[in-house]
Amino acid sequence: MASVEPKAPKGLPPSFVWGFATAAYQIEGGVSEGGRGPCIWDKFMHLEPSVTNGVNGDVACDHYHKFEEDLDLLAKYGARAYRFSISWSRIIPLGGREDPVNEEGIAFYTSLIDGLLARNIQPWVTLYHWDLPQALHDRYGGWLNVEEVQKDFERYARVCFERFGDRAKNWITINEPWIVSIHGYSIGIDAPGRSSTNKQCSEGDSPREPWIAAKALIMSHARAASLYNKEFKAKQGGRIGVSINGDYYEPWDPKDARDHEAAERRMEFHIGWFANPMMLAQDYPASMRAQLGDRLPQFTDAELSLLRDAELDFYGMNYYTAQFARHRSTPAEETDHKGNVDELAENKAGVSVGEPSGIWWLRPAPELFRKHLVRIYKKYGKPIYITENGCPCPGEEKMNKEESVRDEYRQRYFATHLDAIVGALQDGVEVKGYFAWSLMDNMEWGLGYDYRFGVTHTNYETLERTPKESALRLRSIIESRMST
Ligand code: PNW
């Protein structure tokens, strides 16, 4: 590992923003404290233990009580910025636009934000990282009710901008709308666990619902961003964007034009689905219209106009891995959401996209990360912040603390991905910041607590935090790549 710094290519600007990221439900716990209302993940994990490995977020990392200690960790690691999410049902326990604001919830995030500023760490606030108030799901179907949910989200966003925007200047509306739509409403492995194809789910209509939920997420995002642009940005001097996930895809057979098309189509179904409306105020990609027909909702002129008012300051990119895409010769199934392609870890010549990590879906592919950055920047033209990037080390789920803290694999993952960012800067891409996922080991959603993405080891029995080597190393990995 000593080798990564001396040879490191220079090129990160001295202003490069960097730090660590988390999400409320994955770390906070304290689910019935401080006036917090239930969210869809509380219900999902308690009612569907077979899907969620019998775990839940009731305690998680107990960040709700230990946040001061966690702020001290950030300071110790030298972070310039911290990305966290606000729990909607801590701010408005019943979620809706007529429902009361919970001052205890406001007080919690006020302490968190003030604690960051006192340590000279910039707050980066995600409004929605998957924890919809359960009351809104019960009242009108939550994300399945495009017209209602966007009004409630706008009011929730307004409360956050009004109460925190004088000190929090960097806003992310929604985290990974693809996961919310597909995992929540098509394959049913995330809250609210709806699917017509997954036998473990009792409800859902997956040929329709993911596309409806996605439109609700897009329009809710647009309402919040246009509100910020109109009423808060000039006064508060902040910025707003969105965090979009999506792997990079290479053609399985580089000599087959149909695989080149399949790779591009796969990325349109993953990224363009959200980025075309959110970043460009445009309709969904043509390849999606061609495959999905009437199942894909339309945008009205008024909706496109709202999307134009919601112009964003940056593209937040959550990037972990890449894959190969191979075209299929059979027609797409009704529930297909991938553009009718096969996804493979090896190409036709048997070359792997990357070595295995500590989770099956993630293989590091930093050279493809550089290509990904170039592709996204060419398409959307906004400055890019990497709002998530990280991995569990191979076998880390079975390691004890002493083994887990010696995380060379994670340090190499960070170093090679920062090299890719330097490469992309040389290609002319504006990459302005980087958040490692995650500040600490936490609840990896329905997979539970076994997969450890943290730079801090969490002991879930004692809740003790122990910095892994990568926690202290990230700063030098970044600073050694800065041009002075
Ligand atoms: C992101 N996949 O989710 C989320 O934003 C985080 O909350 C999460 O902990 C992190 O990545 C690590 O997984 C993903 O299956 C969940 O490809 C699943 C996938 C990708 C991203």
Side-chain angles (χ1 to χ4, degrees):
M1 279 312 296
S3 63
V4 290
E5 279 131 13
K7 282 193 283 169
K10 300 275 183 191
L12 301 179
S15 62
F16 196 72
V17 174
W18 70 273
F20 304 89
T22 61
Y25 195 71
Q26 293 179 274
I27 63 167
E28 281 184 7
V31 293
S32 8
E33 289 178 64
R36 178 186 178 279
C39 75
I40 55 175
W41 272 92
D42 295 316
K43 179 162 180 197
F44 181 62
M45 300 201 98
H46 282 279
L47 287 188
E48 306 281 359
S50 58
V51 190
T52 58
N53 295 298
V55 304
N56 58 62
D58 291 1
V59 177
C61 304
D62 200 26
H63 171 76
Y64 186 67
H65 297 108
K66 294 183 177 294
F67 73 92
E68 288 281 355
E69 186 182 336
D70 296 333
L71 293 173
D72 287 340
L73 288 175
L74 285 163
K76 179 173 168 160
Y77 302 164
R80 290 182 173 179
Y82 173 53
R83 173 177 178 236
F84 63 94
S85 81
I86 294 182
S87 151
W88 185 343
S89 63
R90 262 193 212 292
I91 301 294
I92 307 170
L94 294 172
R97 53 203 179 275
E98 310 288 338
D99 296 320
V101 170
N102 172 32
E103 289 301 327
E104 272 188 86
I106 301 278
F108 173 69
Y109 293 106
T110 299
S111 306
L112 185 66
I113 290 167
D114 290 348
L116 287 167
L117 296 176
R119 291 166 179 82
N120 214 5
I121 301 168
Q122 281 179 17
W124 283 65
V125 188
T126 309
L127 289 172
Y128 188 72
H129 203 125
W130 310 356
D131 42 3
L132 184 77
Q134 180 65 39
L136 301 185
H137 185 81
D138 296 341
R139 207 176 276 170
Y140 53 69
W143 293 116
L144 293 176
N145 193 324
V146 178
E147 295 306 321
E148 288 300 315
V149 71
Q150 59 180 284
K151 293 180 193 139
D152 287 342
F153 187 73
E154 179 179 345
R155 192 284 189 121
Y156 160 58
R158 176 184 291 282
V159 172
C160 292
F161 299 149
E162 278 174 357
R163 305 298 293 272
F164 309 125
D166 56 335
R167 287 151 295 142
K169 309 286 183 193
N170 302 285
W171 295 92
I172 291 163
T173 54
I174 288 176
N175 180 71
E176 301 192 350
W178 187 91
I179 297 266
V180 177
S181 310
I182 296 299
H183 286 195
Y185 295 88
S186 179
I187 53 182
I189 56 171
D190 283 0
R194 295 179 64 88
S195 174
S196 59
T197 47
N198 182 339
K199 292 195 177 47
Q200 287 180 302
C201 302
S202 49
E203 287 177 86
D205 174 5
S206 60
R208 281 178 350 106
E209 290 184 5
W211 318 109
I212 297 170
K215 184 172 175 191
L217 289 157
I218 291 165
M219 295 319 301
S220 298
H221 152 91
R223 289 243 190 180
S226 88
L227 171 71
Y228 190 73
N229 287 343
K230 282 198 178 121
E231 295 186 35
F232 295 95
K233 189 182 280 179
K235 191 168 65 191
Q236 296 180 341
R239 292 175 280 192
I240 193 155
V242 60
S243 285
I244 295 182
N245 67 307
D247 302 349
Y248 186 78
Y249 288 83
E250 283 275 271
W252 178 75
D253 178 356
K255 294 202 188 87
D256 191 334
R258 293 168 303 178
D259 285 354
H260 282 268
E261 283 166 25
E264 185 59 26
R265 194 165 62 246
R266 181 71 193 88
M267 291 188 274
E268 287 174 348
F269 269 72
H270 212 147
I271 295 168
W273 180 14
F274 298 97
N276 282 23
M278 289 173 164
M279 305 299 301
L280 303 173
Q282 279 178 10
D283 191 21
Y284 302 115
S287 59
M288 294 185 72
R289 285 245 166 262
Q291 181 178 318
L292 299 165
D294 292 348
R295 288 204 294 284
L296 207 54
Q298 301 287 339
F299 291 109
T300 64
D301 288 343
E303 286 169 339
L304 288 171
S305 155
L306 183 66
L307 283 160
R308 281 192 292 277
D309 294 341
E311 183 170 0
L312 300 181
D313 300 299
F314 62 89
Y315 182 106
M317 177 190 287
N318 291 359
Y319 174 84
Y320 290 93
T321 193
Q323 302 186 61
F324 296 104
R326 186 173 62 197
H327 76 280
R328 288 183 183 160
S329 308
T330 48
E333 286 180 21
E334 203 187 12
T335 50
D336 176 74
H337 54 261
K338 295 182 174 178
N340 204 23
V341 309
D342 290 319
E343 302 172 306
L344 300 110
E346 287 182 359
N347 70 7
K348 191 180 180 190
V351 178
S352 168
V353 79
E355 54 181 331
S357 71
I359 196 163
W360 69 91
W361 56 263
L362 196 165
R363 285 171 180 261
E367 316 74 33
L368 297 180
F369 178 38
R370 176 174 176 172
K371 281 188 161 183
H372 190 48
L373 286 162
V374 171
R375 177 180 177 276
I376 292 292
Y377 187 67
K378 277 193 189 148
K379 277 194 179 286
Y380 304 111
K382 293 283 184 191
I384 297 172
Y385 289 84
I386 308 309
T387 42
E388 288 181 21
N389 178 243
C391 64
C393 302
E396 198 172 356
E397 74 279 7
K398 295 194 198 75
M399 288 180 191
N400 62 28
K401 179 178 86 179
E402 286 66 33
E403 294 164 331
S404 171
V405 300
R406 290 197 299 271
D407 58 348
E408 284 207 352
Y409 184 98
R410 180 176 289 105
Q411 296 167 54
R412 195 162 58 245
Y413 183 95
F414 290 153
T416 52
H417 285 76
L418 280 147
D419 286 345
I421 292 174
V422 171
L425 287 164
Q426 288 160 1
D427 298 334
V429 181
E430 279 181 274
V431 190
K432 300 185 111 172
Y434 179 89
F435 293 85
W437 183 269
S438 174
L439 173 62
M440 62 189 110
D441 294 337
N442 58 46
M443 196 202 69
E444 183 55 16
W445 303 107
L447 298 176
Y449 293 92
D450 293 344
Y451 294 100
R452 295 177 175 272
F453 278 81
V455 298
T456 309
H457 179 271
T458 307
N459 176 326
Y460 293 108
E461 269 147 42
T462 62
L463 297 167
E464 182 197 13
R465 282 96 158 114
T466 309
K468 301 181 192 175
E469 288 173 4
S470 61
L472 297 156
R473 194 64 179 276
L474 185 60
R475 179 184 192 158
S476 63
I477 290 174
I478 288 180
E479 288 182 350
S480 63
R481 285 163 178 75
M482 274 181 185
S483 31
T484 39

